[in-house]
Amino acid sequence: MIAVLQSEDFPSLLRQIEEIHARPAPEAAVGETISTIGPRWIRRSLNQVRKENLAIGSGEREPEGRDLHRLRIAFNGVRYPCEFFRELVPREELDPVLGLLVGYQDCLGKFQDAQVALSMLDKITRDRWQAASPALDEALSLGAAMHVFREQAARSRSDFLARWPSFEKDMKDFRAFLRGMIEASDSPQ
């Protein structure tokens, strides 16, 4: 938590929170029902994942840890509304999508866990070296632990990057389904 508060990204995050707080709360259109709001919310959330995809998927550079972390948060933004509005979407449409989202989140979560562990071990190592030279067995143990987490991060990143190109194709039918739900709820009865 302290690392987040001291990071260079924190002032930007704080500004974003203040901007959101300053905005007026959106009002639902007259006559808009939960069956309209739910699919629109899910679609907006999918669009946020698409936006993050464009940011990291250009191929100009390898995605960095913070790119993958933002993408993981965007996946949360899709998964949670899907679960919240679960009663609106037939199981056969939603369950495969939730399975995909959970798979992506698990992969990105393992990567993030490894990154956090490496950061902590790096700090411990620097603190120990500044205080005094650590014993050989301690230095070897820290190095071995760092190696394990570097391998976990690399493996998780590789797993994610292998899955990622199919995301748009995997979501195509679900997007079409949401579009149909929205159009059906918008049309006069």
Side-chain angles (χ1 to χ4, degrees):
M1 176 66 118
I2 291 173
V4 171
L5 295 174
Q6 293 175 339
S7 78
E8 62 188 41
D9 294 333
F10 182 70
S12 172
L13 174 64
L14 193 55
R15 275 192 304 281
Q16 290 173 3
I17 292 170
E18 288 169 346
E19 288 170 11
I20 290 169
H21 181 67
R23 290 184 209 149
E27 294 183 25
V30 174
E32 193 169 28
T33 65
I34 197 73
S35 61
T36 305
I37 294 168
R40 283 194 176 132
W41 186 354
I42 294 168
R43 185 176 64 184
R44 273 194 308 271
S45 300
L46 275 171
N47 288 340
Q48 183 62 37
V49 171
R50 180 179 271 168
K51 180 180 167 189
E52 293 298 334
N53 176 30
L54 293 174
I56 68 170
S58 65
E60 294 175 12
R61 64 175 173 78
E62 277 288 309
E64 296 177 14
R66 67 176 169 252
D67 299 322
L68 298 178
H69 185 61
R70 278 195 311 270
L71 187 58
R72 181 172 177 243
I73 291 168
F75 274 117
N76 288 341
V78 176
R79 180 180 170 194
Y80 298 144
C82 281
E83 290 177 350
F84 183 79
F85 295 111
R86 178 175 222 121
E87 299 303 315
L88 299 174
V89 182
R91 220 178 172 79
E92 63 272 7
E93 294 289 340
L94 190 57
D95 286 353
V97 170
L98 284 173
L100 286 168
L101 294 172
V102 167
Y104 282 113
Q105 284 181 295
D106 286 350
C107 194
L108 291 170
K110 288 176 186 172
F111 175 80
Q112 182 66 19
D113 290 348
Q115 292 294 99
V116 168
L118 280 168
S119 177
M120 290 173 54
L121 287 170
D122 184 58
K123 182 175 178 0
I124 290 168
T125 303
R126 277 187 276 115
D127 290 350
R128 293 292 295 153
W129 257 264
Q130 286 177 355
S133 294
L136 179 61
D137 61 334
E138 184 178 290
L140 290 173
S141 295
L142 285 169
M146 291 176 90
H147 177 74
V148 166
F149 286 112
R150 279 192 191 104
E151 283 186 342
Q152 178 182 326
R155 193 171 39 255
S156 298
R157 166 185 247 143
S158 177
D159 290 349
F160 172 77
L161 292 175
R163 289 174 176 216
W164 187 235
S166 68
F167 180 76
E168 285 298 323
K169 183 176 108 354
D170 293 340
M171 292 294 122
K172 185 178 179 184
D173 290 341
F174 187 61
R175 283 180 187 279
F177 175 78
L178 289 172
R179 190 170 35 259
M181 283 184 74
I182 292 166
E183 289 169 0
S185 65
D186 285 345
S187 65
Q189 302 292 323

